């Protein structure tokens, strides 16, 4: 391995979408939501630049939602 670039998972999603021709970001605002088992995370970006004040996480994920429904 000669070179490694680490990209945060939500930002990596935006990058992967553009590689597959599914998104041309330019300066548009994008929102990626990842509702995992234990948390719900969101990531907002202008193009590929994160908007830190609009990124975050909440401690409720799919497991707690499913438990509440059951």
């Amino acid at each position: 391995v000669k070179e490694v670039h680490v990209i945060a998972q939500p930002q990596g999603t935006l990058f992967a979408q553009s590689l597959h021709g599914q998104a041309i970001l330019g300066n548009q605002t994008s929102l990626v939501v990842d509702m995992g088992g234990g948390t719900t995370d969101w990531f907002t970006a202008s193009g590929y630049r994160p908007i830190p004040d609009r990124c975050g996480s909440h401690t409720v994920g799919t497991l707690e939602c499913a438990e509440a429904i059951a």
Side-chain angles (χ1 to χ4, degrees):
V1 176
K2 295 182 180 184
E3 189 174 340
V4 175
H5 298 275
V6 177
I7 301 172
Q9 187 273 339
Q11 193 170 16
T13 299
L14 293 177
F15 183 71
Q17 291 291 319
S18 69
L19 285 179
H20 298 292
Q22 297 175 10
I24 300 172
L25 298 176
N27 288 327
Q28 82 179 30
T29 301
S30 300
L31 171 65
V32 176
V33 177
D34 176 16
M35 190 166 186
T39 63
T40 299
D41 308 312
W42 59 94
F43 176 85
T44 307
S46 176
Y48 292 105
R49 301 192 102 170
I51 304 171
D53 294 345
R54 293 186 175 182
C55 299
S57 182
H58 184 60
T59 58
V60 174
T62 56
L63 297 176
E64 192 168 332
C65 288
E67 185 177 306
I69 292 169

